[in-house]
Amino acid sequence: MKKKMISMMLCAAMTAAMLAGCGGNNAADTSAPAAEDGAGEETPEAEAPEAEAPAEENTEAEDASAAPADGTLVMATNAYFEPYEYYEGDQVVGIDVEMAQAVADKLGMELKVEDMEFDSIIPAINSGKANIGVAGMTVTEDRLKNVDFTNPYTTATQVIIVQEGSEITGEADLTGKTVGVQLGTTGDIYVSDMDGVTVEQYNKGMDAVQALTTGKIDAVVIDNEPAKQFVSKAEGLKILEEEFVTEEYAIAIAKGNEELLGKINTALDELTADGTLQAIIDKYITAE
Ligand code: GLN
């Protein structure tokens, strides 16, 4: 537990360092945001929420920010990303779902989970179909052009999965190889940006992992916690020690919906301060 806290803090520090040294912005830049609130800062000032804020008040707001009038908080996600969101029977469960439920409780709203392809989440938020995107979604500059993000709720890394006995020992060895990714994810963006690497995009991370198991591809680049789950369910695979990018996950919200953003940030601050968020994470991720 203590070890995990420390490594999480290290991750945060690394993210900050990475951001500070992050010069070259290119189209596929996926570094965390250099938003006004200060890059890598954990707790930017959330706007104080209005005391009373029933969802109906949003009818004046632009379409994309309109919460359903009945006080339902619709969460768009892609439920093939254990331990953050996955099916247990016909129920979507996981860290993101429990966190969103705790946030909805604080807002006095009812949570509704909508499962969809990962790359449909931001369009769903922008069309008003969903109020929030909670999907282990990494804060990136590109995404910030289309949505706002709450304060980050956790850090994560991208890792490389290979077959046991693979000659690939790190990022440098991916040159000339075929690498599987989940479509539209940061792993996809990083690998697509690498010279001399052939990218194979899959709708689900597990599909990429299956392709690796059968030798169709040479490696998979994906987020660390789902990677552990996928590898534990497959035969003969391992995760390389080298973590090549540190990221931050946050909740995506329609641009301009300051009121909801402020309320969710306040809820997240409270859930962090009283230990609820860490307890939810600990329930799904056991410290090594
Ligand atoms: N963290 C990655 C991203 O935001 C992957 C998220 C996911 O597949 N659910 O792109």
Side-chain angles (χ1 to χ4, degrees):
M1 168 72 186
K2 201 166 189 180
K3 189 175 147 210
K4 192 161 91 186
M5 289 292 291
I6 289 165
S7 73
M8 277 189 58
M9 278 155 54
L10 257 178
C11 277
M14 276 167 62
T15 308
M18 185 182 88
L19 288 166
C22 201
N25 269 6
N26 55 36
D29 189 352
T30 54
S31 60
E36 322 81 46
D37 54 74
E41 203 173 82
E42 287 291 313
T43 48
E45 240 62 46
E47 253 175 55
E50 313 267 320
E52 87 301 17
E56 303 90 71
E57 279 188 9
N58 286 337
T59 43
E60 293 293 332
E62 45 181 284
D63 235 8
S65 63
D70 60 355
T72 305
L73 188 67
V74 180
M75 160 181 165
T77 197
N78 173 248
Y80 298 89
F81 202 65
E82 189 176 351
Y84 296 97
E85 40 269 327
Y86 59 101
Y87 279 94
E88 226 170 59
D90 58 2
Q91 283 276 102
V92 181
V93 298
I95 294 170
D96 286 346
V97 183
E98 285 204 32
M99 176 184 67
Q101 182 64 61
V103 167
D105 289 348
K106 283 199 177 284
L107 270 52
M109 297 176 85
E110 195 190 318
L111 184 72
K112 185 161 176 258
V113 179
E114 292 273 2
D115 182 20
M116 59 188 73
E117 299 295 348
F118 183 76
D119 63 353
S120 298
I121 296 172
I122 288 179
I125 294 167
N126 286 328
S127 69
K129 210 180 137 198
N131 313 102
I132 53 173
V134 198
M137 191 180 281
T138 304
V139 180
T140 73
E141 282 194 7
D142 260 5
R143 288 175 184 161
L144 275 166
K145 291 177 191 153
N146 298 308
V147 284
D148 287 337
F149 280 100
T150 61
N151 301 334
Y153 60 86
T154 200
T155 54
T157 56
Q158 292 292 313
V159 295
I160 303 169
I161 310 175
V162 294
Q163 286 196 352
E164 275 165 14
S166 166
E167 60 182 25
I168 299 169
T169 59
E171 187 182 341
D173 299 329
L174 294 179
T175 312
K177 302 284 195 257
T178 303
V179 180
V181 295
Q182 187 186 353
L183 179 70
T185 62
T186 47
D188 182 5
I189 296 164
Y190 299 134
V191 177
S192 299
D193 224 26
M194 290 167 75
D195 288 331
V197 179
T198 306
V199 189
E200 284 283 343
Q201 295 162 317
Y202 297 84
N203 271 326
K204 298 186 179 76
M206 193 59 191
D207 294 344
V209 170
Q210 256 143 24
L212 176 62
T213 309
T214 58
K216 258 171 114 174
I217 56 176
D218 303 303
V220 171
V221 170
I222 200 151
D223 301 50
N224 59 323
E225 289 301 332
K228 284 187 211 161
Q229 298 293 332
F230 294 144
V231 166
S232 73
K233 292 183 174 105
E235 286 289 306
L237 302 183
K238 66 174 182 185
I239 298 171
L240 298 183
E241 296 270 315
E242 181 187 286
E243 298 169 335
F244 70 96
V245 194
T246 302
E247 310 180 322
E248 289 180 320
Y249 292 170
I251 299 174
I253 299 184
K255 274 207 167 295
N257 199 345
E258 298 294 331
E259 189 185 341
L260 185 63
L261 184 68
K263 282 198 255 173
I264 295 183
N265 271 333
T266 302
L268 286 175
D269 284 350
E270 289 170 10
L271 294 168
T272 303
D274 72 6
T276 305
L277 186 57
Q278 191 60 48
I280 293 171
I281 293 171
D282 290 346
K283 186 172 152 190
Y284 290 91
I285 300 174
T286 42
E288 278 128 49

